[in-house]
């Protein structure tokens, strides 16, 4: 669970950095990276939810 939350924090940091580059500078490549990160975040959040439910049983 700790590793999963660390991974989520890293993914959020990458997403935030790339999204800011796209918004502030119009960097299209950063926008692509941000969208890719958002998909990875979605998968990691689903995994977190699954593990969290298992841990609460």
């Amino acid at each position: 669970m700790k590793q999963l939350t660390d991974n989520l924090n890293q993914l959020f940091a990458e997403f935030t950095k790339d999204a800011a580059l796209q918004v502030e500078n119009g960097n299209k490549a950063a926008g692509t990276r941000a969208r890719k990160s958002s998909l990875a975040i979605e998968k990691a959040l689903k995994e977190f939810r699954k593990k969290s439910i298992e841990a609460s049983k």
Side-chain angles (χ1 to χ4, degrees), residues 17-50:
K17 180 186 75 162
D18 289 331
L21 285 173
Q22 181 187 19
V23 171
E24 294 170 4
N25 302 332
N27 187 333
K28 290 181 182 179
T32 301
R33 289 190 303 270
R35 288 190 299 275
K36 185 176 178 182
S37 293
S38 72
L39 292 174
I41 290 169
E42 180 183 16
K43 289 178 185 176
L45 285 172
K46 286 180 181 180
E47 184 65 25
F48 174 80
R49 183 173 187 271
K50 182 179 165 185

